[in-house]
Amino acid sequence: SAVISQKPSRDICQRGTSLTIQCQVDSQVTMMFWYRQQPGQSLTLIATANQGSEATYESGFVIDKFPISRPNLTFSTLTVSNMSPEDSSIYLCSARGGSPLGQYFGPGTRLTVT
Amino acid sequence: SQQGEEDPQALSIQEGENATMNCSYKTSINNLQWYRQNSGRGLVHLILIRSNEREKHSGRLRVTLDTSKKSSSLLITASRAADTASYFCATDAGGSNYKLTFGKGTLLTVNP
């Protein structure tokens, strides 16, 4: 299965600032996704990161708040903009493609906004 | 919106016992996957079962799928303290859309 890494693993940020999270996959994958997990909750899909075009956002998430890049088939970034304490969550990157079948996740980025 | 609902929300057992977690979903699916998450870390992929499969095994894990009831179960046999984690089911609708919809998860505690 694809090995996915994320940077940073955790960060503490001040409100009003922005943080960019990087996701690297060790092989080319067809699809990459970004999820958010709020404290004590399950995962919610933020967007599908499309290679070479704008990301596809889910209801309740907008590009101005969560700009996403995917310049190639192995790398994506998620920026959390103008952060507030409500953005404190774990942000997870996932990828699908290749063998074995399934969708695999990175270790997550734990973000705390003060 | 949440597609899947796991039950129980929390399960506490003794080492060596079996643990069964259930997942229900609302709409037609292509695949259903089970994941484990240790203490707020990343998700570990456990097993994928396709909509045309009824049962799959992987080591101490056994997953069943009943599409007529829109439900799945995850059985962990001979549990160990290291199995303590949250377990999530996730479904996708397939086609060109592989985005996952997650259930709320079951917190499993295995006591030594």
Side-chain angles (χ1 to χ4, degrees):
Chain A
S1 62
V3 176
I4 302 171
S5 59
Q6 282 184 236
K7 288 195 296 188
S9 58
R10 58 177 60 221
D11 208 341
I12 301 173
C13 301
Q14 293 196 342
R15 69 173 67 206
T17 62
S18 297
L19 176 72
T20 296
I21 302 167
Q22 298 180 3
C23 177
Q24 180 73 55
V25 189
D26 70 343
S27 58
Q28 293 187 349
V29 290
T30 52
M31 304 187 80
M32 295 181 74
F33 306 89
W34 287 96
Y35 290 81
R36 180 176 73 181
Q37 185 178 29
Q38 294 177 301
Q41 302 293 314
S42 186
L43 280 76
T44 301
L45 179 65
I46 298 172
T48 302
N50 300 309
Q51 193 262 326
S53 64
E54 193 171 287
T56 304
Y57 289 84
E58 297 299 302
S59 175
F61 297 97
V62 295
I63 187 171
D64 290 346
K65 176 67 176 177
F66 298 102
I68 288 170
S69 77
R70 191 179 171 195
N72 56 50
L73 292 175
T74 64
F75 185 78
S76 178
T77 66
L78 168 75
T79 299
V80 186
S81 303
N82 189 24
M83 289 183 283
S84 67
E86 291 72 35
D87 294 320
S88 297
S89 296
I90 299 173
Y91 291 87
L92 297 111
C93 167
S94 75
R96 184 189 184 280
S99 180
L101 189 65
Q103 193 169 128
Y104 298 86
F105 283 78
T109 296
R110 183 182 290 273
L111 170 63
T112 302
V113 184
T114 60
Chain B
S1 62
Q2 292 291 342
Q3 163 81 309
E5 295 279 344
E6 283 96 336
D7 77 87
Q9 291 188 351
L11 178 62
S12 181
I13 60 174
Q14 296 299 123
E15 231 174 3
E17 294 181 338
N18 296 341
T20 299
M21 289 160 273
N22 303 298
C23 166
S24 61
Y25 56 92
K26 296 185 175 71
T27 61
S28 296
I29 64 168
N30 187 46
N31 301 301
L32 186 145
Q33 301 178 68
W34 283 92
Y35 293 88
R36 184 184 76 228
Q37 184 178 41
N38 291 83
S39 190
R41 297 186 180 179
L43 270 67
V44 174
H45 186 270
L46 295 177
I47 200 163
L48 178 150
I49 187 165
R50 301 182 198 227
S51 59
N52 61 354
E53 297 175 313
R54 292 297 165 256
E55 187 172 313
K56 281 188 87 167
H57 297 255
S58 177
R60 294 184 295 115
L61 305 180
R62 173 177 169 253
V63 168
T64 61
L65 179 64
D66 187 335
T67 52
S68 67
K69 295 181 179 177
K70 291 186 168 59
S71 67
S72 174
S73 68
L74 170 67
L75 168 68
I76 303 174
T77 60
S79 63
R80 306 166 182 168
D83 295 327
T84 295
S86 291
Y87 291 82
F88 295 92
C89 70
T91 58
D92 74 76
S96 60
N97 177 3
Y98 289 100
K99 59 185 182 182
L100 296 179
T101 304
F102 280 81
K104 295 180 179 177
T106 294
L107 176 59
L108 173 66
T109 302
V110 181
N111 301 300

